[in-house]
Amino acid sequence: MTSTTCSTPNRKSVSFENNEQRRSGARGATPTSTTNIYTAFDDLANCYEDNSNFGAIISELKEQIESEDNWRIHFAAVETLRVLNKYYPNEIRKYFADLVTFLQKSLESLRSNLSKNTLMLIREVFQSYKHSQALDSFLNEILPIILEKSVSEHSFLKSEARAALKALEKTGCNNNVIQVHCSKSFDKNGVISELSFQSLTDIIQQAKENLTKDISHDILETLFHTVAQSLDGKRAVNKRVAKGLCEQLKRLFSEGGKDFDGYMRENLKLKETEIQIINESMKKSTHNTRAVFSCFIKTKKLKQEVDKNSNPANFTLVSINLKK
């Protein structure tokens, strides 16, 4: 079979072994050497023609990865998808739904190098994402794994995962994204819960008046239920963020003299207890200054860490030997 993978020789990497690699190597997860591995986005070279049969390329790629249980082959396949996504995003976006299982396995691979390269692909897909419905099922399956990777013990995986989240936030509202974030806002892992709810809030803040245009009525209901539950929950960071979000939602849905309470009650069918919780959150002026300040600092640190990790230039480049 003719290889479908591109060769990208101009790789930028660092030939040293960091602590994450040592830990992974100790478990047999990542071999170490001084061979370059990751290709920077700018160095991804196009080895296809504009009139290429992309359906045939993806089919052959799928056949190859399904028949070869070899992480190096899978790594090269991810690299090929990065090239295709860079030069032909509109042509190949519709095929990502068929690659979800492969990408899930690659993200969760014990080979942290494969996981890292897949995270780079996901970030780059999000950066080229323009509200394509073809990515809906892709987002449903992939976003929860990105959130899990955002708290990885390996800093180079965590950094790339959070960069992917920030890239996704800039694409605007999407039913699937809002749905996943609403669900993960109550994750038993506190960091994932806070990170997901903060990301949800950032998406809503950027959407502004487009919110009702971009998401369905059912998802809007889910959003308000999530806000009410977060206000009534035990996570101080989420309670603080939810309060600010309530104030924004009230401004948005009270424009033109609209009745915010009536909208929540009649249009969204919220329970009276939920409406009361939302209204009370905007009236309260807490006297516990120390608790408020502590929560503010924690929220600020969380945002700073996410913003820092959202810069792709900050990712750690790892080195391994690709030779069999």
Side-chain angles (χ1 to χ4, degrees):
M1 178 184 297
T2 303
S3 175
T4 61
T5 56
C6 275
S7 176
T8 52
N10 296 322
R11 301 177 186 273
K12 290 183 179 179
S13 68
V14 181
S15 56
F16 64 86
E17 179 185 347
N18 58 25
N19 290 333
E20 285 82 7
Q21 284 177 278
R22 292 191 184 97
R23 286 196 294 269
S24 297
R27 294 193 298 269
T30 306
T32 60
S33 81
T34 59
T35 303
N36 296 340
I37 178 170
Y38 302 125
T39 306
F41 182 78
D42 290 344
D43 293 326
L44 289 169
N46 188 6
C47 56
Y48 297 101
E49 301 293 336
D50 291 349
N51 59 353
S52 297
N53 185 336
F54 295 105
I57 292 171
I58 295 298
S59 294
E60 188 174 348
L61 193 68
K62 285 179 60 181
E63 182 179 345
Q64 188 176 24
I65 59 181
E66 289 171 0
S67 61
E68 298 282 352
D69 187 17
N70 184 313
W71 78 270
R72 292 178 176 84
I73 290 176
H74 292 182
F75 186 98
V78 171
E79 191 91 339
T80 295
L81 291 171
R82 292 182 63 206
V83 171
L84 290 169
N85 178 71
K86 177 180 178 179
Y87 293 99
Y88 308 102
N90 295 327
E91 288 82 356
I92 71 155
R93 190 169 291 136
K94 61 184 177 182
Y95 299 110
F96 275 103
D98 296 330
L99 296 166
V100 166
T101 300
F102 165 65
L103 294 174
Q104 283 177 308
K105 291 180 179 179
S106 297
L107 284 170
E108 297 176 331
S109 173
L110 292 178
R111 300 283 185 180
S112 57
N113 303 282
L114 176 57
S115 180
K116 159 79 175 186
N117 205 33
T118 309
L119 284 168
M120 293 172 71
L121 166 65
I122 301 302
R123 170 174 55 79
E124 291 159 5
V125 169
F126 289 164
Q127 288 171 337
S128 66
Y129 176 65
K130 301 297 181 184
H131 295 282
S132 171
Q133 295 302 312
L135 281 180
D136 279 357
S137 59
F138 173 85
L139 290 167
N140 269 341
E141 303 298 332
I142 295 298
L143 183 52
I145 305 176
I146 301 298
L147 286 163
E148 294 292 335
K149 291 296 178 182
S150 71
V151 296
S152 171
E153 63 177 0
H154 302 313
S155 63
F156 63 98
L157 294 180
K158 178 172 71 174
S159 174
E160 196 60 52
R162 296 195 179 192
L165 286 177
K166 295 304 290 185
L168 183 58
E169 287 172 14
K170 296 177 182 178
T171 65
C173 284
N174 175 284
N175 282 335
N176 300 73
V177 174
I178 301 300
Q179 181 75 56
V180 171
H181 276 315
C182 284
S183 175
K184 299 299 282 186
S185 292
F186 304 104
D187 195 275
K188 59 184 178 182
N189 183 308
V191 179
I192 291 179
S193 169
E194 293 170 2
L195 189 64
S196 193
F197 193 69
Q198 182 64 64
S199 186
L200 171 66
T201 302
D202 289 344
I203 291 172
I204 301 303
Q205 288 176 341
Q206 292 179 57
K208 297 181 180 178
E209 64 275 2
N210 292 323
L211 178 63
T212 55
K213 300 176 184 177
D214 292 340
I215 64 175
S216 67
H217 186 270
D218 289 344
I219 297 299
L220 190 60
E221 284 185 19
T222 300
L223 171 63
F224 272 80
H225 287 312
T226 300
V227 171
Q229 291 178 53
S230 297
L231 287 167
D232 198 37
K234 297 180 179 180
R235 298 201 183 280
V237 170
N238 285 5
K239 288 168 79 79
R240 175 185 174 84
V241 173
K243 180 178 179 180
L245 183 55
C246 279
E247 293 169 349
Q248 179 185 344
L249 291 171
K250 183 175 182 178
R251 287 194 297 270
L252 177 62
F253 290 99
S254 298
E255 289 182 352
K258 295 177 182 177
D259 179 11
F260 186 50
D261 282 17
Y263 184 85
M264 291 190 291
R265 183 176 294 109
E266 303 299 329
N267 293 66
L268 300 179
K269 308 300 182 184
L270 263 63
K271 299 177 181 177
E272 289 300 322
T273 53
E274 292 177 313
I275 296 173
Q276 183 179 359
I277 289 170
I278 290 174
N279 285 331
E280 285 299 317
S281 74
M282 294 182 284
K283 293 178 182 178
K284 284 183 178 178
S285 176
T286 179
H287 299 289
N288 191 347
T289 306
R290 178 177 294 181
V292 171
F293 182 72
S294 175
C295 181
F296 169 77
I297 294 298
K298 187 174 181 181
T299 306
K300 186 175 181 180
K301 286 182 177 179
L302 178 63
K303 283 187 66 65
Q304 286 176 337
E305 184 177 358
V306 171
D307 291 340
K308 178 184 69 175
N309 288 326
S310 70
N311 185 353
N314 289 336
F315 62 66
T316 304
L317 296 178
V318 187
S319 303
I320 62 164
N321 190 349
L322 289 176
K323 295 180 179 179
K324 292 184 178 181

